[in-house]
Amino acid sequence: MAKQKKFILQESEIPTQWYNILADMPNKPLPPIHPATKQPLTWQDLAHIFPEECSKQELDMEHTWIDIPEEVLEKYKFYRSTPLVRAYELEKAIGTPAHIYFKNESTNPLGSHKINSALAQCYYCKQEGTTNVTTETGAGQWGAALAYAAKTFGLEAAVYQVKISMQQKPYRSSIMRTFGAAVTGSPSMSTRAGKDILTVNPTHSGSLGTAISEAVELAQTTPHCKYVLGSVLNHVALHQTIIGLEAEKQMQLAGEYPDTVIACFGGGSNFGGIAFPFMRHNLKDGKHTEFIAAEPNSCPKLTRGKFQYDFGDEAGYTPLLPMYTLGHQFKPANIHAGGLRYHGAGMIVSQLIKDKMMHGVDIPQLESFEAGMLFARTEGIIPAPESCHAIAATIREAKKCIETGEEKVILFNLSGHGLIDMTAYDQYINGDLQNYTISDEEIQKNVSELEQIV
Ligand SMILES: *Cc1c(COP(=O)(O)O)cnc(C)c1O
């Protein structure tokens, strides 16, 4: 019999609930706290800037399953289920006995997993009478997804895009504008936070931290405007669990169960999305799946950061979150994986790392592109520079199996395609890319400034 390569679900088999791992975690994350009062935040506090329903989801430790609203499910059906694919050609090229599967979240027209949460957040905004949404974006995948989702639910979107990414990936701004969003490079002169940052450093090339500061400020100073975030927060990972819940059913169709689950890591949303539904079986059913988050070694918060309360943004406008962090003032090198240039990790993942239920690996930029090239040439899909980190981590694991002879089942999430990142591939092919490492002193300097915060 011919080997089956691709596993898809019928519309009626698409999951109708998200999985809330907070309800199942033996040790809950510490609460987010108010920077001034140092008191734990309530959902009402969060609802000043975030949609109300998302604020409730953020702190929900009680409900294991959360219904996906009917209107969101309808939109999911435009592009879901996404395929689960056995990477036979990649396996052959590596020469590994491992079985490699990937969940392909690049197949929707926006090109990444970000749309899964953008639709949910814009739906809740609409329900709650919000007319405007504002956000930040790095490489632009989140901004593009949000611009489309906002248009779908009749909201106006204002997006602050990290300046360096805007220059590296001009087409993502075009996509956002096509969907009707207003796009501003960050840091900009349009907000107090942006002006302050530019006063100190007039040539600041921007970071997710600067863009978040500007977007939060705009939400706070504009009526009927909410701030929405594409990663890091618990409710974003919650919406992304649709990835892992589908993959669980699809792995059943393939007749296998993953020994290892891998995703790249910016703030943790695509990682949480694919990993948490499988981690549930470690927590509940005695499974022993290993979970690996692949971060760039130029922004190594999981492997070299400190567990500490820190701000989510550069200017210090957000609540203080308990997380593995490099310090909110950390300026990551200008690697092409813009979506991974963030100083901290989400609260859930940070607690899971503390509890040794998962771990991080750090991948140098050149190794990530080498992996992406091999994947493109074997499986015919050009991966996003972010996703290349997951592929590199997968290849490392698959190579270990050559030595041990183990037929390990490895599942990784292909978080997006790289068709708008071809400048990066050109530079790699021309030999113009480099690795960036950061010194312990540099990390120590940023992190030691945090100790006074709490
Ligand atoms: C944003 C992004 C990431 C990183 O964000 P997470 O929240 O960690 O998933 C990874 N891959 C792609 C394609 C992205 O757009």
Side-chain angles (χ1 to χ4, degrees):
M1 206 175 79
K3 293 186 285 187
Q4 190 169 345
K5 179 151 180 79
K6 191 171 74 179
F7 302 88
I8 46 174
L9 301 175
Q10 302 298 317
E11 242 177 60
S12 61
E13 296 171 309
I14 297 175
T16 56
Q17 294 178 309
W18 293 303
Y19 170 58
N20 177 22
I21 195 172
L22 280 168
D24 285 343
M25 285 169 73
N27 299 320
K28 311 296 182 199
L30 297 169
I33 61 178
H34 193 289
T37 64
K38 306 274 149 78
Q39 292 302 307
L41 289 169
T42 61
W43 72 260
Q44 289 91 341
D45 295 325
L46 295 172
H48 287 305
I49 46 173
F50 300 110
E52 190 174 309
E53 194 57 35
C54 296
S55 303
K56 289 181 186 164
Q57 290 172 351
E58 188 62 22
L59 301 178
D60 186 343
M61 311 269 168
E62 195 184 335
H63 303 96
T64 311
W65 299 100
I66 310 253
D67 287 341
I68 303 174
E70 198 61 46
E71 291 83 344
V72 175
L73 262 182
E74 281 310 305
K75 300 295 176 195
Y76 277 180
K77 286 177 183 167
F78 279 37
Y79 64 96
R80 308 204 70 86
S81 69
T82 63
L84 177 85
V85 184
R86 173 90 183 261
Y88 289 110
E89 297 306 314
L90 179 65
E91 290 171 16
K92 211 191 303 168
I94 302 169
T96 179
H99 298 188
I100 301 176
Y101 291 84
F102 63 94
K103 178 74 167 153
N104 189 352
E105 287 296 310
S106 81
T107 54
N108 74 77
L110 283 311
S112 86
H113 69 287
K114 295 281 192 337
I115 187 68
N116 299 328
S117 185
L119 287 170
Q121 294 191 50
C122 287
Y123 166 76
Y124 290 128
C125 282
K126 188 65 181 175
Q127 283 299 101
E128 295 165 15
T130 296
T131 54
N132 291 61
V133 286
T134 175
T135 194
E136 83 300 328
T137 193
Q141 289 105 324
W142 168 244
L146 185 80
Y148 163 69
K151 187 49 77 187
T152 297
F153 287 109
L155 307 167
E156 295 293 326
V159 181
Y160 286 94
Q161 183 172 17
V162 177
K163 217 178 260 174
I164 178 80
S165 303
M166 207 172 183
Q167 289 155 7
Q168 283 175 343
K169 298 161 205 252
Y171 288 134
R172 286 252 168 64
S173 317
S174 320
I175 294 173
M176 290 183 257
R177 292 201 180 95
T178 301
F179 289 121
V183 187
T184 309
S186 174
S188 77
M189 296 297 280
S190 73
T191 62
R192 184 64 220 258
K195 280 181 202 162
D196 287 349
I197 292 161
L198 288 170
T199 304
V200 177
N201 182 355
T203 58
H204 200 303
S205 57
S207 67
L208 284 173
T210 68
I212 294 173
S213 304
E214 294 203 85
V216 169
E217 184 180 324
L218 187 69
Q220 282 173 332
T221 54
T222 311
H224 309 295
C225 179
K226 286 291 163 80
Y227 168 63
V228 290
L229 191 52
S231 183
V232 184
L233 295 178
N234 302 342
H235 66 267
V236 185
L238 171 76
H239 305 152
Q240 295 295 352
T241 58
I242 187 77
I243 302 172
L245 293 166
E246 280 185 2
E248 209 185 318
K249 292 186 174 188
Q250 290 163 309
M251 289 299 298
Q252 266 168 21
L253 293 178
E256 304 219 68
Y257 190 87
D259 297 303
T260 309
V261 174
I262 298 176
C264 67
F265 196 96
S269 79
N270 93 91
F271 173 83
I274 190 142
F276 294 168
F278 290 100
M279 206 176 279
R280 172 167 169 260
H281 298 296
N282 280 23
L283 290 166
K284 296 270 161 197
D285 312 321
K287 292 276 190 196
H288 296 287
T289 299
E290 183 182 9
F291 297 93
I292 303 176
E295 64 183 2
N297 88 335
S298 55
C299 193
K301 63 250 180 185
L302 301 177
T303 51
R304 294 168 72 195
K306 179 159 186 248
F307 186 81
Q308 166 80 40
Y309 270 101
D310 193 9
F311 292 106
D313 67 322
E314 184 136 345
Y317 284 180
T318 68
L320 287 165
L321 306 172
M323 58 189 188
Y324 278 92
T325 178
L326 296 165
H328 63 283
Q329 304 271 342
F330 177 74
K331 287 179 195 57
N334 293 332
I335 55 164
H336 279 279
L340 308 187
R341 294 175 75 239
Y342 183 69
H343 67 272
M347 296 192 291
I348 294 176
V349 162
S350 294
Q351 186 63 45
L352 293 172
I353 289 193
K354 261 189 104 185
D355 292 342
K356 302 199 170 12
M357 300 194 42
M358 56 170 284
H359 64 98
V361 292
D362 59 321
I363 308 283
Q365 176 159 262
L366 293 178
E367 183 181 340
S368 75
F369 276 100
E370 189 187 341
M373 294 285 287
L374 181 63
F375 185 76
R377 289 174 181 190
T378 49
E379 296 295 325
I381 302 168
I382 298 179
E386 291 85 358
S387 315
C388 290
H389 292 72
I391 300 170
T394 299
I395 292 174
R396 284 189 190 178
E397 291 303 307
K399 281 186 175 162
K400 286 184 199 161
C401 295
I402 301 174
E403 286 149 38
T404 61
E406 261 179 302
E407 287 188 19
K408 252 191 191 173
V409 178
I410 304 174
L411 167 65
F412 78 86
N413 192 44
L414 183 71
S415 52
H417 70 66
L419 293 177
I420 303 181
D421 303 282
M422 295 318 293
T423 327
Y425 279 88
D426 268 342
Q427 289 179 1
Y428 175 76
I429 291 163
N430 294 339
D432 292 339
L433 286 187
Q434 64 186 93
N435 287 329
Y436 297 91
T437 41
I438 65 168
S439 66
D440 287 338
E441 294 78 61
E442 199 178 331
I443 294 177
Q444 197 46 45
K445 183 178 147 287
N446 278 287
V447 166
S448 63
E449 284 162 14
L450 297 181
E451 272 144 29
Q452 301 100 42
I453 296 177
V454 181

